[in-house]
Amino acid sequence: MVKRNPHMAKLSGGYLFPEIARRKKALLEKNPSAKVISLGIGDTTLPLTPYICSALLDAAKKLGTKEGYSGYGDEQGMTALREKIAKVLYHGSADSDEVFISDGAKPDLGRMQILFGADATLAVQDPSYPVYVDGSVIVGATGPYNQKKQQYASIIYMRCTPKNRFFPDLAAQPRTDLIYFCSPNNPTGAVATKQQLKKLVDFAKQNRSIIIFDAAYAEYIEEKGLPKSIYEIPGAKEVAIEVNSFSKTIGFTGVRLGWCVVPKQLVYEDGSSVHKDWNRITTTIFNGASNLVQRGGLAALDAEGLTEMKQTVDYYKENARIIKTALDALGFETYGGRNAPYIWVRIKGKKSWDAWSELLEQKHIVTTPGAGFGPGGEGFLRFSSFGRREDVLLAVERLKRDKL
Ligand SMILES: *Cc1c(COP(=O)(O)O)cnc(C)c1O
């Protein structure tokens, strides 16, 4: 018999979204005619836009010709796309050979956990996107379990609440090797200011830590002066990797395309290069993002593509505005929803899974319970703005009415 990877048993009860799906299914079995509206999972609903979609079609057609066919490409991605991302999105603050094209930010985060391995200690914002902790647990980066704290020694939860305006008190944090940081944040919708990110970069420098900065929602930032990339902070290239994705900007959640930036200045304590190791990981266990899909990424960064991207992002942001306005009018304490597609809502006097179930049972609306994002999410619900407009409007009507 095969022994189970012992780290798998350390994962806490099931991944959040399968649990939500299970409970939703249970409701539908009880009440088959319920029209359930999902403001839960962060999955896009708008179709691909015309210019980007036609680039995908053209790429597929080319692959069907003798002249246009190509097999394996560079594992790091097409040079043209790496260059275009460096130029259009980083305006020179990242070199093209620091940009690695991937099949999405989540798989990249998983490979990064393999890169840093089981001995790495890490800090996450609490609440946070579940992959940072769960992926680290899978590779064994836990350290011993502290029964009293009910936490693993290698994983530090940096509490982010309305009280500290969702930015952790860094002075109170112990040193860790890695610091996962997501801004605009999933789930809270909070966006770190330049000043805050500078504090984070300084903290990482002092501690000789590496920041893994998740900028998946950078394009949702509309307020001038709010940083879209960690590299807007001087010196960040010495301490930070950035991951990003085409998922939430052009609806590539199913198509799959992302990238990360691993700066050449980034080194381990022995002076060796993180960039080189990342290149080794990429060439060894990843064979590159789909060539066809990378053509879609190239199109997305043309002027026409960028216009379509903005339209897509604006649509979801308008949804966010509608949801937030309705919740505010109902007297809820809400956060986010402005430079981010998520609205973080305090539920007074209730556990978040209980509030979540009530909303599902009484209004047939699926949200996401805050507790699923870490202990700091208890007492909150996350509303996602990625639904179709008609569903968002219907959900808002239901919220306003006492009964269905
Ligand atoms: C959706 C999301 C991603 C994107 O993941 P992909 O694998 O690129 O689809 C990354 N980080 C966060 C915080 C997200 O919410």
Side-chain angles (χ1 to χ4, degrees):
M1 292 289 273
V2 178
K3 265 209 202 96
R4 187 181 184 204
N5 170 356
H7 306 307
M8 293 303 295
K10 298 178 187 170
L11 291 169
S12 52
Y15 189 70
L16 177 62
F17 295 106
E19 177 61 21
I20 287 176
R22 197 186 62 73
R23 293 194 188 202
K24 183 175 154 186
K25 199 170 148 233
L27 172 91
L28 285 171
E29 272 161 18
K30 229 172 44 185
N31 185 351
S33 63
K35 184 178 179 319
V36 177
I37 299 175
S38 178
L39 303 179
I41 194 164
D43 193 3
T44 45
T45 52
L46 281 181
L48 296 178
T49 49
Y51 182 79
I52 296 169
C53 193
S54 75
L56 291 173
L57 286 170
D58 284 348
K61 275 188 203 140
K62 259 191 200 129
L63 286 175
T65 65
K66 232 185 203 170
E67 306 72 36
Y69 176 76
S70 62
Y72 288 125
D74 292 338
E75 293 93 339
Q76 301 87 344
M78 284 178 188
T79 305
L81 183 56
R82 301 174 82 189
E83 284 172 351
K84 208 159 182 179
I85 287 174
K87 185 169 161 234
V88 176
L89 298 176
Y90 291 97
H91 318 288
S93 72
D95 292 341
S96 60
D97 58 350
E98 294 175 318
V99 177
F100 292 78
I101 310 302
S102 74
D103 53 348
K106 199 205 258 186
D108 251 357
L109 288 161
R111 285 185 289 269
M112 256 163 228
Q113 283 148 344
I114 296 171
L115 171 75
F116 292 109
D119 291 337
T121 57
L122 56 127
V124 294
Q125 289 155 292
D126 176 27
S128 70
Y129 187 50
V131 185
Y132 312 141
V133 168
D134 287 358
S136 303
V137 169
I138 288 171
V139 299
T142 59
Y145 190 68
N146 182 330
Q147 198 70 48
K148 217 170 104 203
K149 279 189 169 168
Q150 300 217 327
Q151 275 172 15
Y152 286 102
S154 293
I155 304 174
I156 301 297
Y157 292 83
M158 304 187 293
R159 202 46 82 89
C160 295
T161 64
K163 234 188 200 158
N164 59 17
R165 303 172 84 188
F166 301 100
F167 190 79
D169 176 11
L170 294 175
Q173 304 302 328
R175 182 205 173 271
T176 54
D177 296 320
L178 307 175
I179 304 167
Y180 287 89
F181 201 92
C182 177
S183 174
N185 190 266
N186 178 6
T188 66
V191 189
T193 61
K194 255 189 193 154
Q195 230 175 0
Q196 288 173 330
L197 285 191
K198 184 175 180 310
K199 275 189 196 159
L200 184 70
V201 166
D202 289 345
F203 180 70
K205 276 191 182 167
Q206 263 164 32
N207 286 333
R208 309 179 123 233
S209 308
I210 292 178
I211 299 164
I212 299 177
F213 189 76
D214 188 335
Y217 300 102
E219 293 304 322
Y220 284 76
I221 294 177
E222 60 186 27
E223 217 170 299
K224 286 222 163 47
L226 286 176
K228 289 188 172 184
S229 161
I230 187 91
Y231 304 124
E232 290 184 35
I233 310 306
K237 286 186 85 178
E238 290 156 43
V239 290
I241 289 172
E242 182 161 298
V243 295
N244 209 324
S245 164
F246 287 100
S247 284
K248 314 297 171 31
T249 52
I250 56 169
F252 268 22
T253 45
V255 176
R256 312 300 306 145
L257 189 66
W259 73 91
C260 68
V261 177
V262 183
K264 281 171 278 187
Q265 295 95 312
L266 200 61
V267 290
Y268 297 105
E269 63 178 11
D270 67 357
S272 62
S273 160
V274 175
H275 181 272
K276 266 195 186 149
D277 276 6
W278 180 248
N279 195 58
R280 185 71 162 88
I281 293 264
T282 303
T283 52
T284 306
I285 60 170
F286 180 55
N287 249 346
S290 152
N291 51 8
L292 193 162
V293 170
Q294 290 188 74
R295 295 272 171 209
L298 276 169
L301 300 176
D302 285 341
E304 297 91 327
L306 288 168
T307 302
E308 290 184 353
M309 182 188 291
K310 185 166 182 313
Q311 285 164 352
T312 302
V313 167
D314 282 350
Y315 178 91
Y316 295 128
K317 282 206 307 200
E318 175 61 10
N319 282 350
R321 196 193 60 75
I322 292 168
I323 297 166
K324 187 179 170 77
T325 306
L327 289 168
D328 284 344
L330 288 167
F332 285 100
E333 189 182 322
T334 67
Y335 300 93
R338 210 153 99 58
N339 298 288
Y342 298 115
I343 301 106
W344 189 239
V345 185
R346 196 197 292 274
I347 305 298
K348 289 229 167 79
K350 272 180 216 156
K351 291 262 182 190
S352 56
W353 270 111
D354 294 338
W356 182 90
S357 287
E358 256 175 46
L359 203 55
L360 177 66
E361 300 274 333
Q362 293 173 8
K363 311 268 182 184
H364 299 169
I365 296 173
V366 176
T367 55
T368 310
F373 299 99
E378 186 53 271
F380 289 87
L381 286 178
R382 187 194 75 174
F383 285 70
S384 156
S385 69
F386 287 115
R388 296 193 181 93
R389 180 69 45 80
E390 58 270 29
D391 288 339
V392 166
L393 292 172
L394 194 57
V396 161
E397 278 312 305
R398 285 188 193 171
L399 285 171
K400 287 182 189 161
R401 266 180 283 148
D402 289 342
K403 292 213 176 67
L404 272 178

